[in-house]
């Protein structure tokens, strides 16, 4: 069966109440994941293959999974593309100012 014909479940996204500070800090401890979050912090949602990172597609998928499971990003499928956006409102509701401070520190480093 062709990959495009497989029925796959949509990715799971934790509820706002499930967001855990240690999971978020772990997800943000990697430079590639920080680059993804920084890109989304300053811009709109993007198609997965358009992020300015230099990693293999399978490695990028891993980074997206870590960010998604931590509750930092939301992903949705549209046709053959997977769109990724930052869950900024949810993160701010649970941990006000946290990600903004971390993104600022990342940009200064």
């Amino acid at each position: 069966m062709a990959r495009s014909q497989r029925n796959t479940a949509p990715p799971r996204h934790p509820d706002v109440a499930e967001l855990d500070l240690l999971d978020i800090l772990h997800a943000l401890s990697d430079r590639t994941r920080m680059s993804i979050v920084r890109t989304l912090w300053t811009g709109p949602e993007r198609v997965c293959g358009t992020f300015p990172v230099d990693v293999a597609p399978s490695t990028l998928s891993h980074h997206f999974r870590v960010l998604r499971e931590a509750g930092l990003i939301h992903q949705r499928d549209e046709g053959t593309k997977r769109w990724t956006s930052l869950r900024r409102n949810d993160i701010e509701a649970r941990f006000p100012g946290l990600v903004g401070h971390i993104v600022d520190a990342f940009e200064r480093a």
Side-chain angles (χ1 to χ4, degrees):
M1 176 182 293
R3 181 176 200 158
S4 62
Q5 294 175 339
R6 293 183 202 157
N7 286 333
T8 59
R12 183 193 176 289
H13 300 90
D15 292 329
V16 175
E18 294 177 84
L19 300 182
D20 181 79
L21 180 59
L22 293 180
D23 291 340
I24 289 173
L25 293 175
H26 167 73
L28 297 176
S29 68
D30 180 89
R31 293 192 71 74
T32 299
R33 292 192 291 267
M34 274 304 306
S35 293
I36 293 167
V37 169
R38 183 196 168 281
T39 300
L40 292 170
W41 187 262
T42 58
E45 77 176 337
R46 299 175 72 119
V47 174
C48 288
T50 65
F51 286 85
V53 294
D54 188 25
V55 295
S58 60
T59 303
L60 186 58
S61 293
H62 165 75
H63 289 304
F64 284 134
R65 181 180 54 79
V66 171
L67 291 168
R68 187 179 63 246
E69 289 177 356
L72 288 162
I73 63 171
H74 180 268
Q75 293 185 304
R76 66 180 179 85
D77 294 331
E78 185 176 292
T80 59
K81 296 179 180 174
R82 178 164 281 183
W83 291 84
T84 302
S85 59
L86 188 67
R87 293 179 60 184
R88 191 172 187 153
N89 292 339
D90 293 342
I91 298 163
E92 287 297 310
R94 184 85 164 111
F95 303 109
L98 174 72
V99 175
H101 289 300
I102 294 171
V103 168
D104 287 345
F106 179 73
E107 289 176 343
R108 286 191 308 267

